[in-house]
Amino acid sequence: MGMLLPRRPPHPNVLDIPTPPLQQAGVFVIFFFTALAFVTYLLRVYSRLKTKMWGLDDYLVTCGMVFSLMMVGPFYMYFKLFYFGWKLEDVPQPHDMTPANWWFFLAQLFYNPILAFVKASVLVFMLRLAGPKPAVRWTIHSLNIFNALQGVAIFLVALLQCLPIEANWDANVKMDPNTKCIDNSFHVIASCLTLLTDILVVAIPFWIFLGLKMKQGAKIAVLGIFLLGIVVFIIGCVRLNGLIKLFYLPPDGKDPYHDITVTLSVVEANVAITTACAPALRPLFVMWLPKIFGNSTNRYGNKYTAGSKLPYYTGPSKGTAGLTSAAHGTRTDRNGDAAINLRSMNGHKEVRSESPTGSEEEIMTYNGIMRTTDVRVQYDAESTLGHSRVSIDSLSKGDSGTKEVVVEKRTL
């Protein structure tokens, strides 16, 4: 009976291994981007709980964050035990790569689900923003199903890429004629499929937002957040280029150890988490920096802040009859009467400069994106004790006609 392989190949304590400057830079990259993603994720959790908007997309990004935290330890061990960042002549000989490959196999299992969970979170989030457009919603559902199937398939193939499994880290087992391993093309194909879904996820927000009636500045700001996903796509392209060079191109003569581009896997995964959490931080920016993020300007040029009342609009002074647009009114007339608070009128369409919760989902219905309301005030000059007729023309999609509200006006 042959000797059983240990569950984890023995190796020296990595803390006793010196860390040359280039390797120090690589270690910094590994932990910095993981910490960046974790801090952004915690801010997202605080924001969601504060606004009571916790949903399925938050659970999905939580899964991605958990896998990222599980990956950072094995990846660090692999990075140290493989002596990345060292010069070839300084690497201790003989160099047994078995322990490093064992940790790398474990890191692979944690890495592959991260992007799948993050993309699923982004797609579910976009369902909140898609509105009633059937084509957009069906596209998102289809892409989410494809992403889920792809994530499961890649995980299973990565787990069983060599049978027996020990062949993933033990070169002697891998050389056994009875060992079966998949072709290296699997890694390239998997990366290509990941890049394809990346670019589709980035393209969907353009489809959602470009057709909306919203201020150009707001549109650019919202799309700019999703454009950060392009960074993930670029990192994935660089990583794919490295895989092609590794598997299909002859060695270029460079020192295989004096290189830290392998850290791009950590960067890609954690930048994806960071960009997925960014849209959910909007309520925090509005709360912490209201002067910058809480102000907006209505169609008449009046600036409002979160939670503030709309200005009082009045018609002309007493004795003037006719239809007057609120755009030409003043806060109060010279006699100080006939003031109408638009936020307290019964039955009116409420107009706000900020959403009630500050949540990013309400971008679709507030801040002047979807609804334009023209308020006209008509006064009855025949009586000092009469009524004012306030007609509100709703121009948004789905509303038509004029709604009329009678407001009692008393003159002392």
Side-chain angles (χ1 to χ4, degrees):
M1 182 177 179
M3 181 179 180
L4 294 176
L5 291 174
R7 185 177 181 182
R8 177 177 63 82
H11 57 72
N13 186 352
V14 294
L15 298 179
D16 296 332
I17 300 176
T19 308
L22 186 58
Q23 190 177 76
Q24 289 179 9
V27 171
F28 172 79
V29 168
I30 293 171
F31 286 99
F32 172 78
F33 281 94
T34 304
L36 176 65
F38 187 61
V39 169
T40 310
Y41 165 76
L42 291 180
L43 290 174
R44 175 192 178 117
V45 171
Y46 175 76
S47 174
R48 291 294 198 173
L49 295 179
K50 182 79 173 177
T51 56
K52 298 181 180 180
M53 295 297 296
W54 188 272
L56 176 59
D57 54 331
D58 301 291
Y59 286 111
L60 291 169
V61 81
T62 296
C63 293
M65 188 71 249
V66 169
F67 275 100
S68 176
L69 293 175
M70 294 171 65
M71 179 186 73
V72 66
F75 197 91
Y76 168 75
M77 298 294 291
Y78 164 64
F79 193 75
K80 288 288 292 183
L81 292 172
F82 205 93
Y83 293 92
F84 284 108
W86 285 57
K87 293 184 178 179
L88 179 60
E89 58 268 21
D90 297 330
V91 176
Q93 299 297 332
H95 178 203
D96 183 11
M97 296 184 182
T98 302
N101 288 333
W102 188 88
W103 285 107
F104 177 64
F105 174 73
L106 192 60
Q108 280 188 80
L109 299 183
F110 296 143
Y111 163 80
N112 286 305
I114 296 175
L115 294 179
F117 276 118
V118 170
K119 277 184 280 194
S121 174
V122 172
L123 290 169
V124 171
F125 168 76
M126 284 191 291
L127 280 176
R128 298 182 176 185
L129 305 180
K133 298 179 180 178
V136 176
R137 299 185 69 85
W138 279 110
T139 300
I140 293 175
H141 284 306
S142 300
L143 187 55
N144 222 344
I145 293 173
F146 178 80
N147 175 67
L149 294 176
Q150 176 191 344
V152 172
I154 291 178
F155 177 81
L156 292 177
V157 175
L159 175 65
L160 305 173
Q161 58 187 293
C162 282
L163 294 175
I165 293 181
E166 290 86 348
N168 288 286
W169 58 83
D170 194 320
N172 293 326
V173 177
K174 192 170 185 177
M175 293 175 61
D176 190 300
N178 294 323
T179 297
K180 304 295 182 182
C181 292
I182 63 173
D183 190 77
N184 290 328
S185 60
F186 158 74
H187 301 284
V188 176
I189 295 173
S191 295
C192 290
L193 289 175
T194 299
L195 291 176
L196 174 62
T197 52
D198 284 347
I199 201 65
L200 290 176
V201 169
V202 171
I204 289 178
F206 286 92
W207 191 4
I208 296 175
F209 285 106
L210 289 181
L212 293 182
K213 295 178 180 179
M214 57 190 295
K215 295 179 181 178
Q216 192 67 23
K219 185 181 295 186
I220 293 174
V222 174
L223 290 176
I225 295 175
F226 288 101
L227 277 176
L228 293 175
I230 293 292
V231 177
V232 180
F233 176 77
I234 294 173
I235 295 172
C237 290
V238 175
R239 181 174 175 272
L240 175 61
N241 181 63
L243 290 175
I244 294 174
K245 286 183 177 180
L246 176 65
F247 295 135
Y248 297 106
L249 299 181
D252 54 9
K254 294 182 180 180
D255 190 336
Y257 292 93
H258 200 66
D259 186 10
I260 61 171
T261 55
V262 66
T263 58
L264 286 176
S265 296
V266 177
V267 175
E268 179 188 22
N270 287 288
V271 168
I273 294 174
T274 302
T275 55
C277 292
L281 304 186
R282 176 177 171 267
L284 296 184
F285 291 130
V286 173
M287 180 175 62
W288 294 339
L289 301 171
K291 291 184 178 180
I292 299 177
F293 296 96
N295 287 350
S296 65
T297 303
N298 76 343
R299 61 181 293 191
Y300 303 118
N302 298 301
K303 291 184 177 179
Y304 310 125
T305 55
S308 66
K309 290 185 177 181
L310 293 178
Y312 295 85
Y313 289 118
T314 65
S317 59
K318 183 175 63 174
T320 302
L323 189 62
T324 304
S325 170
H328 302 293
T330 58
R331 290 181 180 271
T332 58
D333 65 4
R334 61 184 63 185
N335 294 323
D337 61 349
I340 300 175
N341 186 348
L342 296 185
R343 293 190 65 175
S344 63
M345 290 191 305
N346 294 327
H348 79 290
K349 294 290 187 177
E350 187 172 11
V351 182
R352 305 189 187 194
S353 62
E354 296 296 334
S355 61
T357 63
S359 61
E360 69 284 349
E361 290 85 352
E362 298 192 35
I363 292 173
M364 299 295 293
T365 55
Y366 286 89
N367 290 326
I369 295 174
M370 293 296 290
R371 186 178 300 283
T372 301
T373 305
D374 188 12
V375 181
R376 296 187 180 92
V377 182
Q378 184 174 357
Y379 293 92
D380 185 359
E382 296 179 357
S383 174
T384 58
L385 179 59
H387 297 83
S388 297
R389 295 185 181 274
V390 181
S391 61
I392 300 179
D393 296 335
S394 181
L395 306 180
S396 61
K397 183 177 181 181
D399 289 338
S400 61
T402 300
K403 298 183 180 180
E404 195 169 65
V405 180
V406 178
V407 180
E408 184 176 359
K409 182 187 70 172
R410 296 180 181 271
T411 302
L412 298 178

